[in-house]
Amino acid sequence: MPPRSAPRVELRAPKPSDQDAFIVAMRASRTLHHPWVVPPTTPETFTALLRRNREEAFDSTLVCRRDDGAILGFFNISQIIRGPLQSGFLGYGAVAAHAGRGYMTEGMELVLRRAFTELRLHRLEANIQPENRSSVALAKRCGFVKEGLSERYLKLGGRWRDHERWAIRADQSRAHRAAGS
């Protein structure tokens, strides 16, 4: 089983007792996330996340600081497709108060190990708006490869927005880790 913790962070599934802290953190992070991602910010949307996390085609994890349990961000693998594809889509968001300290990089490395071992995926794809420099930089740092541009790919904030398609395969992730990049 791959490690679910790194020197400073650990991954864990969200639970009902996380609701208040998660909502407060996401509301405080609206400026950081806008217009890139819309995480749960109400009890109803957090409950929907918990319910969705019980589905086979969805996997949500929180990145938490090991020393005090503070929520630092989240990763969602959605639309998990089995069979010959063994693929999913990755979405993520940091907590603004902790952004820029490398926590999400540590968390992403753990998510990739989990995706390619425990979840037995072959490939993960992250669709990122080109202007979202922080998310693009995180994907690059963790070994994702830019595959192209999907014009007017996803409707966010009432507008169809272009997204760059970044992906990583299990073998690429292993090579990236072995290279120590």
Side-chain angles (χ1 to χ4, degrees):
M1 175 180 279
R4 304 257 338 236
S5 64
R8 300 183 302 155
V9 304
E10 63 187 4
L11 292 182
R12 65 174 179 77
K15 55 189 182 225
S17 61
D18 293 320
Q19 177 178 294
D20 293 343
F22 187 85
I23 290 171
V24 166
M26 291 304 112
R27 285 180 179 170
S29 302
R30 281 184 173 151
T31 301
L32 177 68
H33 295 152
H34 182 77
W36 325 118
V37 66
V38 183
T41 56
T42 66
E44 296 78 19
T45 55
F46 185 79
T47 298
L49 172 72
L50 295 178
R51 189 171 34 254
R52 189 170 181 206
N53 206 30
R54 293 190 297 261
E55 298 173 6
E56 191 174 333
F58 189 81
D59 186 75
S60 182
T61 54
L62 299 180
V63 180
C64 299
R65 195 166 38 213
R66 288 183 68 185
D67 63 0
D68 64 1
I71 297 171
L72 307 168
F74 66 90
F75 290 92
N76 295 327
I77 301 174
S78 63
Q79 307 301 316
I80 297 172
I81 302 169
R82 297 297 180 182
L85 193 56
Q86 296 294 356
S87 184
F89 291 93
L90 182 65
Y92 48 87
V95 172
H98 305 292
R101 298 181 187 165
Y103 292 129
M104 290 298 284
T105 301
E106 285 185 41
M108 175 78 87
E109 294 294 342
L110 293 173
V111 165
L112 293 175
R113 288 181 196 172
R114 175 172 160 67
F116 297 133
T117 57
E118 287 179 55
L119 300 179
R120 299 176 330 277
L121 296 179
H122 167 68
R123 180 180 194 280
L124 274 181
E125 183 174 313
N127 291 285
I128 306 168
Q129 293 177 57
E131 299 84 11
N132 188 346
R133 291 186 186 101
S134 295
S135 286
V136 168
L138 176 58
K140 282 183 185 179
R141 250 188 329 273
C142 294
F144 282 72
V145 175
K146 183 179 174 184
E147 293 185 334
L149 178 72
S150 299
E151 294 180 359
R152 297 174 44 94
Y153 177 74
L154 190 61
K155 192 173 192 177
L156 294 169
R159 289 188 34 223
W160 289 101
R161 299 178 188 270
D162 295 349
H163 283 69
E164 292 177 347
R165 192 172 50 259
W166 290 83
I168 189 167
R169 295 183 318 268
D171 60 306
Q172 291 170 314
S173 182
R174 284 190 302 275
H176 180 77
R177 261 193 336 272
S181 303

